[in-house]
Amino acid sequence: MPNCEHDTSMTDLTTPAQHFTNRLATEASPYLLQHAENPVEWYPWGEEAISRAKAEDKPILLSIGYSACHWCHVMAHECFDNVKIAGLMNQDFINVKVDREERPDLDDIYQKSAQVFLGRSGGWPLTMFLTPDQEPFYGGTYFPPTPRYNLPGFPDVLRGVLEAYRHHRDDVLKNVEKVKTGLQRVGTPQPSDDPLTDGLLDEAVKSLGQFFDPVHGGFGEGPKFPTVPPLSLLLRQTARTKDASHQEQVLLQLRTMAAGGIYDHLGGGFHRYSVDGRWLVPHFEKMLYDNAQLVRIYLDAWRLTKEERFREVVEETLEYVRRELTHPDGAFFAAQDADSEGHEGSYFVWEPKEIASVLGADMAEEFCRYYGVTESGNFEGKNVLNRLGEVHPESDAQAEVETMLRAARLKLLTAREQRMALQRDDNILTSWNAMMVSAYLDAYHAFGVPAYLAAAERALTFLLDYAIENGRVYRTVRAGKGRLNGYLDDAACLAAALLDAFEATSHRWYLDQAREVTDHLLVRYWDEPIGGCFYTSRDHEALLHRMKSGTDSAIPSGNAVVAMVLLRLFSFTKEQRYHDLAERLFRVFRHAMAHNAYGTSAILCALDWYLATPQEIVVVGTRGDTMTESLLSTVHRRYLPNHSVLVVESARRGGESDLPLAIGKTSVNGKPTAYVCQRQTCSPPVTDHDQLDLVL
């Protein structure tokens, strides 16, 4: 896909004097509201649109996107604001807009349908044509107003689709059946009796290695996405096999990304993806879910290496989230837009003269040298800041140079904040929020910063107050009210965050809540007798197909998160049902794990836990006590991919005694004491952090 230069030559865009309002004006979704003044007669997804399509025998034009999506903005400007194109749409189609953040169930079904027509993965905006029975028969992604980029013009697409629907209905029905067959195949996996062994992990890692870029890191040639589960799987493989080459692959990618333009060197946080293979020029939107996952993999890298740059990336990213994506009540907003002033990336890029005007000539010259800033630029004549060049200060001057660069970055950030502000997607999505809660808690474990724990607990309290009611998890919160039936990943990620909060605080209530959320999840989403979880609940609206998948999207698959939650609950409670359900889940997705390592990396990580001998670490002591915290820090600063931690408060032993891990664990000579257990066999108790380090 080329960089966007808006072509308005085709015709008759709306003039400022014209004003339109459609049905989206009463919706809550930020994305739908962006289209409320299109001349297109949009409907939100629902019975009204479907009934009209049936009554008038018109195809449904389904357009799916999200608020921060750059190419969604482009197509809206070029096509949906165009009165002539809107006229074609309104005359012959029932037009439906969907926010994929609110309705990932629809997005999943129709993205997989699009692959049949495209022969590749889809993307956003997603443009699908459906029968009145919601059955897809043709589709694509972005379409320009006139033919370009080797794509047909959207008016030609509309005419062609209408011709097929009216006069070649047999061909339309053949396409429908082809899609239904594909959805049945990918969305209804069957359990396998083949063994669950380490060989699955070995073959998966071997497969990943075949398309890992040994020069820049990442998978493939470009564009490159900062997808985290495959990296986590590679790190786990090193821990399991002691083959350091896998670890080095991950560290290469993380170092390169931290130096590249995909990382915001002034404001912190990662952009959505890199359009090139070097991680240099990003697609500029910033997503909450990306940054939540990247914080955790950079924490793992820091635990392995103690490299200061990895710590800086974590701290700067969390500061970005605090500054730009945090709701006054503690929850987290979904995203920050790529576009400002009508152009992608304008907010983030620089010319040398702009830098000189802020820093002064001498400091600017030094800054530009270190951050790859040139007169010719690296992005549409301007510069994406990066440190991919081989410019390093002399060792004896390194501290001084880095101090100067830090001061320069702060000045430039202050100047950047005077530019036109980026639009923010203020959706509060349960799963994404829960992922960021887990990221903050992980950072608290590693660095011991109380503010990280406070931020996590505020956000988690918000979710428990507004995003769950009588066991039902909602997808999103708007104006203090839970909205839309939640999906598998919403419930699963919330359960995972609650378990993380339990480990971070020892508050038993968090564990009880995690069990309650999980048990409700199993009632509403579990497929009995096959195994595994559907993406939608039992009481969800009937759609074209009820999908069940172990394949990751931009976030880990809901089934992968469920598997890990079940295994962690088994570790704490020793309730065999949790372990048995996890095993059944793995068997459902065994075939997928064996044939799509990249797409099932998250569930393969959970399988690694299942096949390993997890360390169950019990610390008997008082939270806040110096020696207790020293023992906990020893655990949390190590890379231990398969472990659980339980703190047994000395002062209230009786309140914890019903947890199997706690039984029989006592302090030695009144000192905080640690036990490391595997398969119900525990190490001798230790009271010193050096001793504990040797046992781990």
Side-chain angles (χ1 to χ4, degrees):
M1 189 71 69
N3 291 323
C4 173
E5 294 291 335
H6 294 171
D7 182 359
T8 58
S9 61
M10 135 159 232
T11 64
D12 302 350
L13 296 179
T14 60
T15 66
Q18 294 176 287
H19 181 75
F20 302 92
T21 302
N22 57 52
R23 295 170 184 82
L24 302 183
T26 59
E27 293 295 306
S29 156
Y31 176 66
L32 299 188
L33 290 171
Q34 288 176 356
H35 294 79
E37 296 184 357
N38 295 157
V40 178
E41 294 175 6
W42 291 116
Y43 287 83
W45 179 272
E47 186 56 38
E48 183 183 4
I50 294 167
S51 295
R52 185 180 168 193
K54 290 178 178 178
E56 299 180 15
D57 191 24
K58 287 183 177 179
I60 295 170
L61 194 167
L62 176 65
S63 177
I64 302 179
Y66 59 97
S67 174
C69 167
H70 169 67
W71 284 99
C72 301
H73 300 333
V74 174
M75 191 167 178
H77 173 75
E78 294 180 334
C79 296
F80 305 148
D81 281 336
N82 183 305
V83 175
K84 285 193 173 182
I85 294 177
L88 294 175
M89 295 169 66
N90 296 338
Q91 178 178 318
D92 297 315
F93 298 86
I94 303 302
N95 305 295
V96 176
K97 254 297 171 190
V98 167
D99 183 347
R100 60 98 36 196
E101 293 176 356
E102 291 192 342
R103 295 301 304 267
D105 54 338
L106 294 170
D107 185 58
D108 184 42
I109 290 171
Y110 294 113
Q111 287 285 355
K112 287 182 169 62
S113 301
Q115 293 179 25
V116 174
F117 309 121
L118 296 170
R120 55 174 174 77
S121 60
W124 302 280
L126 181 66
T127 308
M128 297 296 293
F129 296 92
L130 320 179
T131 71
D133 292 323
Q134 310 167 42
E135 302 163 325
F137 63 91
Y138 183 70
T141 53
Y142 162 83
F143 289 105
T146 57
R148 66 174 184 237
Y149 313 143
N150 293 317
L151 294 170
F154 196 46
D156 294 332
V157 172
L158 296 174
R159 296 184 188 105
V161 167
L162 189 65
E163 168 71 15
Y165 187 78
R166 287 178 174 175
H167 302 298
H168 303 281
R169 195 66 65 92
D170 287 347
D171 292 336
V172 166
L173 295 177
K174 287 179 183 177
N175 277 2
V176 166
E177 289 307 310
K178 185 185 298 184
V179 169
K180 285 184 173 180
T181 300
L183 290 176
Q184 179 69 26
R185 177 176 55 81
V186 302
T188 315
Q190 297 299 309
S192 169
D193 292 328
D194 293 337
L196 300 168
T197 66
D198 288 350
L200 274 172
L201 303 174
D202 294 333
E203 287 301 313
V205 169
K206 182 180 178 181
S207 174
L208 291 177
Q210 291 174 350
F211 67 112
F212 187 86
D213 180 351
V215 178
H216 306 292
F219 299 91
E221 297 179 353
K224 286 182 178 175
F225 289 80
T227 309
V228 170
L231 302 181
S232 295
L233 184 60
L234 291 173
L235 288 186
R236 286 172 170 271
Q237 185 76 351
T238 289
R240 188 174 65 85
T241 67
K242 311 306 179 188
D243 182 350
S245 64
H246 308 300
Q247 177 179 309
E248 290 307 312
Q249 289 176 317
V250 176
L251 297 178
L252 167 67
Q253 178 172 337
L254 297 182
R255 290 172 183 135
T256 308
M257 285 170 49
I262 192 173
Y263 184 71
D264 182 356
H265 291 267
L266 300 185
F270 289 86
H271 300 290
R272 180 68 191 95
Y273 65 87
S274 172
V275 302
D276 57 76
R278 300 176 56 208
W279 306 104
L280 174 59
V281 177
H283 202 33
F284 288 91
E285 67 224 48
K286 292 182 181 178
M287 310 301 297
L288 184 67
Y289 58 74
D290 281 326
N291 285 283
Q293 294 176 85
L294 287 162
V295 162
R296 302 199 70 178
I297 195 70
Y298 273 90
L299 282 166
D300 284 342
W302 177 83
R303 288 182 171 106
L304 286 163
T305 66
K306 300 300 187 292
E307 287 184 24
E308 185 62 22
R309 182 57 181 150
F310 293 148
R311 179 171 184 144
E312 289 173 353
V313 167
V314 170
E315 293 174 338
E316 291 167 2
T317 299
L318 292 178
E319 172 58 19
Y320 160 73
V321 172
R322 184 203 65 78
R323 187 180 66 249
E324 302 289 349
L325 295 182
T326 300
H327 185 281
D329 293 333
F332 306 112
F333 299 121
Q336 199 172 36
D337 212 325
D339 298 6
S340 62
E341 303 177 15
H343 298 280
E344 183 188 14
S346 294
Y347 185 81
F348 297 101
V349 296
W350 295 85
E351 295 179 83
K353 63 183 181 183
E354 295 176 295
I355 295 174
S357 70
V358 176
L359 301 182
D362 292 342
M363 183 182 282
E365 183 179 356
E366 278 293 280
F367 183 89
C368 291
R369 189 162 70 92
Y370 282 101
Y371 281 91
V373 177
T374 64
E375 290 292 340
S376 59
N378 54 34
F379 176 73
E380 298 181 355
K382 296 187 177 182
N383 292 271
V384 178
L385 302 182
N386 72 94
R387 295 190 71 172
L388 291 170
E390 296 297 321
V391 180
H392 300 289
E394 300 292 333
S395 56
D396 58 350
Q398 184 168 354
E400 182 179 348
V401 169
E402 293 299 337
T403 299
M404 180 275 292
L405 293 176
R406 192 177 306 113
R409 291 196 302 270
L410 181 59
K411 288 181 179 180
L412 289 170
L413 176 62
T414 302
R416 194 177 78 177
E417 288 174 341
Q418 305 307 308
R419 296 175 175 177
M420 179 181 287
L422 294 167
Q423 191 173 50
R424 184 170 60 197
D425 180 347
D426 62 358
N427 257 333
I428 296 173
L429 303 168
T430 300
S431 57
W432 301 10
N433 267 254
M435 292 168 67
M436 185 54 73
V437 166
S438 293
Y440 266 105
L441 291 170
D442 201 7
Y444 169 69
H445 282 315
F447 303 151
V449 178
Y452 293 162
L453 175 61
E457 289 204 277
R458 282 190 76 211
L460 192 52
T461 298
F462 183 101
L463 294 178
L464 294 172
D465 284 346
Y466 301 114
I468 186 169
E469 183 178 11
N470 298 324
R472 177 183 296 276
V473 176
Y474 293 103
R475 172 62 176 174
T476 183
V477 177
R478 197 95 183 156
K481 185 175 177 59
R483 297 179 59 251
L484 304 175
N485 197 21
Y487 304 99
L488 178 62
D489 52 4
D490 295 307
C493 290
L494 180 57
L498 287 163
L499 286 175
D500 292 335
F502 172 62
E503 287 198 282
T505 66
S506 306
H507 296 329
R508 177 62 181 273
W509 183 79
Y510 284 132
L511 176 61
D512 294 340
Q513 286 291 111
R515 294 179 71 176
E516 183 176 338
V517 170
T518 303
D519 289 345
H520 277 286
L521 177 159
L522 293 169
V523 169
R524 302 184 69 230
Y525 299 90
W526 186 261
D527 180 9
E528 192 64 47
I530 301 297
C533 293
F534 292 107
Y535 190 63
T536 55
S537 62
R538 294 181 184 279
D539 56 354
H540 200 74
E541 75 174 279
L543 299 174
L544 186 63
H545 192 84
R546 193 180 182 199
M547 300 293 290
K548 181 171 62 176
S549 174
T551 304
D552 306 324
S553 58
I555 66 173
S557 77
N559 273 292
V561 182
V562 169
M564 192 65 82
V565 165
L566 292 170
L567 293 170
R568 293 175 69 191
L569 281 173
F570 173 69
S571 184
F572 286 120
T573 68
K574 299 305 179 203
E575 288 191 31
Q576 189 64 34
R577 66 186 179 104
Y578 291 130
H579 190 273
D580 293 346
L581 287 168
E583 181 176 328
R584 291 179 63 191
L585 188 151
F586 290 131
R587 294 200 175 280
V588 169
F589 300 108
R590 192 200 180 284
H591 180 81
M593 287 190 283
H595 293 86
N596 181 12
Y598 186 83
T600 61
S601 289
I603 201 166
L604 283 161
C605 289
L607 181 68
D608 178 62
W609 177 301
Y610 171 81
L611 294 173
T613 308
Q615 292 177 306
E616 298 169 337
I617 301 156
V618 181
V619 176
V620 181
T622 303
R623 285 277 184 181
D625 174 83
T626 302
M627 294 180 67
T628 301
E629 296 301 327
S630 176
L631 293 174
L632 289 170
S633 179
T634 300
V635 174
H636 293 311
R637 290 168 68 91
R638 288 276 299 270
Y639 175 69
L640 302 169
N642 301 314
H643 78 284
S644 54
V645 178
L646 173 66
V647 177
V648 180
E649 295 276 357
S650 304
R652 50 185 182 94
R653 282 269 303 128
E656 306 288 351
S657 62
D658 61 323
L659 291 179
L661 280 181
I663 296 174
K665 310 299 191 300
T666 59
S667 61
V668 175
N669 297 326
K671 297 179 180 178
T673 304
Y675 299 79
V676 179
C677 307
Q678 293 179 291
R679 293 179 178 165
Q680 301 180 339
T681 300
C682 299
S683 69
V686 296
T687 58
D688 177 80
H689 63 87
D690 290 329
Q691 294 175 315
L692 178 57
D693 201 41
L694 292 172
V695 175
L696 290 171

